Amino acid sequence: MTFKLYNDIMKVHDTPDEDVRIEMCRKLVSEQLPDDNYMILDYLMKLLVEVSNNCEVNKMSQPNIGVVFGPNLVWSDEETTSLVSLTSINVFTTTLLYHYTEIFTRNLEEYVPDNAVLVKQDYTETDA
């Protein structure tokens, strides 16, 4: 993520309507995130969705992954992270995991240089 999006990410937690929260996340990720950041986040979230699909074995559910990875994905350049902001960050990260296919809507192929190799895996929840 970027410092510029931090304040908008913090607002996701305060949104009680799940559909609105998902749409806020989609706009932040798929419309406002720079291309390079989007590609890396998309790859990471795809991997973490796969990890969470095996939570019966590895105990890494979406909320657990949100707690572990959220603080590494989102932080402010102006303030230190507080326990209050950690909750907002974890909610944002967990929402990305639960609603991956609804939030990550960019066509990655248009952002990749012609000479690059793109590994594309179409992910659906039934694939795991």
Side-chain angles (χ1 to χ4, degrees):
M1 302 305 297
T2 65
F3 294 134
K4 180 180 171 186
L5 298 177
Y6 179 82
N7 290 330
D8 291 329
I9 289 169
M10 293 298 102
K11 293 175 188 172
V12 169
H13 175 260
D14 298 330
T15 306
D17 185 310
E18 185 175 22
D19 291 334
V20 173
R21 191 168 47 248
I22 293 166
E23 182 60 17
M24 288 173 72
C25 289
R26 189 196 64 73
K27 285 182 179 179
L28 285 167
V29 170
S30 290
E31 293 180 12
Q32 297 180 35
L33 200 60
D35 297 344
D36 291 341
N37 297 57
Y38 179 88
M39 288 175 48
I40 292 167
L41 184 64
D42 177 70
Y43 185 83
L44 177 62
M45 289 296 116
K46 198 177 294 182
L47 172 66
L48 294 177
V49 166
E50 296 260 345
V51 170
S52 70
N53 285 337
N54 293 299
C55 68
E56 296 296 322
V57 175
N58 62 29
K59 308 300 183 213
M60 291 304 290
S61 63
Q62 289 94 336
N64 289 347
I65 291 171
V67 167
V68 172
F69 282 88
N72 296 296
L73 296 174
V74 180
W75 63 89
S76 171
D77 65 340
E78 297 176 1
E79 59 186 61
T80 58
T81 303
S82 68
L83 291 177
V84 173
S85 62
L86 281 177
T87 300
S88 299
I89 291 167
N90 296 345
V91 166
F92 173 76
T93 307
T94 302
T95 302
L96 297 184
L97 293 167
Y98 275 122
H99 302 284
Y100 171 82
T101 57
E102 298 164 77
I103 294 169
F104 290 83
T105 58
R106 277 194 204 172
N107 178 4
L108 291 179
E109 292 175 0
E110 66 187 66
Y111 299 102
V112 178
D114 292 336
N115 62 347
V117 177
L118 178 65
V119 177
K120 184 175 181 183
Q121 175 185 354
D122 291 326
Y123 176 81
T124 59
E125 292 181 25
T126 58
D127 287 346

